[in-house]
Amino acid sequence: LMELTPGLRRGKRYAFSLRISRQPAATPTRNEWRLAYGTEASQAITGYPLWAMQDLTLSMLLTNRLNEAAVVENIVELVFTPTNTVTVTGMVLLVGPSGYKIRIDCDVEIFQLSSDITVADAVVPGALCTGEQPPTNRARIRLQSETAVLASGVRYRMSLKVRNPNYVPPSAGYWFIRSYSDAPAGIAWTEPDQETLLDTGKVASLPISEFFTYFIVRVSNQVSPLETVLPIEFDFELPLDIANGDRVSILGPPGYDFARPVIDASLEFEFRQCLSFVDRPGSSSLAELPVPLCAGREIRFTFRRAHAPGEQFRFRILTDWPHKTLLDVQSVVKVVLIRRHDSVLDPLGSDVAVATSVAFLAPVVPRLRDFGLSRIGPRAEAIASMGNVMITFKASQDAQALVVTTRVDMVLFKHASFASTSAEVTVREQVLKELQTIHDGS
């Protein structure tokens, strides 16, 4: 509110400035200014964007404390949109909560996210990560390529390898990200000049829990080429007790499905009977598990009796053959022990993750469904004739190309000629694509 004495004259143009005592932490969603004077008011005036990392989000692969006996690096992923462009002369400074450790030769990947789902995300080349020695919770990221930039208004995903705290912190803390137009020279750590500060961002970290003593996942490698399900065996042990009502939830990689099929697609996310479940295979001395329920790629055990710390569990289960092609970092199985926590402030209670762990699997190659091959045509069995071969299948995921490779024993088919072959792809008897393939017959 401003008071103008003696007032303003009609039709005369005025200018004034305001000192803002404190900026908001991020550009407001409704970023507008309005001016009112007496009975008059202006239309909405678009505000200026704040120098901040917009729409900052964070995810983490591991949320358990560091197991010193089996050190596994966590992957922290930040997604952000810079307001100011960062070039090869600048840098990004990342500071994690207390207890996290980032190696001096830390690993980082930066991708420019595509707004078109049919176009892959683009790698930002030449990203170099440098931590401190000894390792702390800070790292600086610079771009070594002259052509690489973090452009204003463009969305990026940055993945960084870190070590989690070796204790359970009382609070999750925050991750801070700051960009600078100029980076300090040399590899020695010096504080950047605050005059070169561009954008800042702050995002809450995820709570850290206890770890499983071990969590082992074994995928069977003796499966028929025609099999449509995949057996998987799990072993785990907890350093904590398991109370009545506790839940152990296991989440498989994308494309896995442990649940029995449903008639109605609307029931797909409902927990129901699993495809198969065998408790304690090969050893009756292990602790007994309750019968689980499954929904998609999740397996859920609800315990009806307590178990002491250190008890060991094993079970075998089936998944529908995975139907998604995964990167190594995506082929991960996550497990969490969930306990209901009641308090005076929350009388209804809330679920708390008290222990977590992960296991990495070699990615499983999806299979074509209902695969079949037959010879067709009036002279399909005749010698010295043209033969037609029909291959039928169902794709388990969307694809942009189809490659068919043939191998023929030329000793048995020494008079067969593959010098020129043609092919066509049909869907419901309609030609989708005609192909021409040429071979030398060798």
Side-chain angles (χ1 to χ4, degrees), residues 262-269:
V262 291
I263 300 175
D264 191 334
S266 64
L267 302 175
E268 189 65 35
F269 300 103

Side-chain angles (χ1 to χ4, degrees), residues 78-233:
L78 292 162
V79 179
F80 58 91
T81 303
T83 301
N84 292 280
T85 297
V86 181
T87 65
V88 69
T89 63
M91 76 169 193
V92 173
L93 177 65
L94 187 66
V95 181
S98 177
Y100 285 84
K101 297 289 188 290
I102 304 174
R103 288 185 285 109
I104 187 171
D105 57 340
C106 43
D107 296 323
V108 68
E109 287 184 326
I110 305 177
F111 290 86
Q112 179 180 322
L113 302 186
S114 172
S115 57
D116 186 345
I117 60 174
T118 64
V119 179
D121 298 337
V123 178
V124 177
L128 176 67
C129 179
T130 307
E132 294 183 285
Q133 187 62 27
T136 67
N137 59 336
R138 303 199 308 168
R140 60 184 185 186
I141 296 95
R142 300 186 62 174
L143 303 175
Q144 293 182 296
S145 172
E146 294 285 347
T147 61
V149 296
L150 300 181
S152 169
V154 178
R155 198 139 180 81
Y156 294 91
R157 181 181 72 247
M158 181 168 66
S159 299
L160 184 77
K161 287 187 176 181
V162 306
R163 287 189 180 182
N164 282 1
N166 58 6
Y167 58 93
V168 177
S171 62
Y174 292 88
W175 288 83
F176 297 89
I177 181 171
R178 304 184 183 98
S179 63
Y180 296 85
S181 59
D182 290 294
I187 61 173
W189 265 85
T190 56
E191 291 300 321
D193 186 351
Q194 292 304 302
E195 293 295 324
T196 67
L197 177 65
L198 296 176
D199 299 338
T200 65
K202 170 184 173 183
V203 62
S205 188
L206 299 180
I208 295 297
S209 63
E210 189 56 74
F211 57 78
F212 278 58
T213 306
Y214 64 79
F215 178 60
I216 302 171
V217 184
R218 291 181 291 271
V219 177
S220 175
N221 55 7
Q222 298 179 344
V223 182
S224 164
L226 302 178
E227 190 59 77
T228 59
V229 293
L230 182 64
I232 304 179
E233 192 167 280

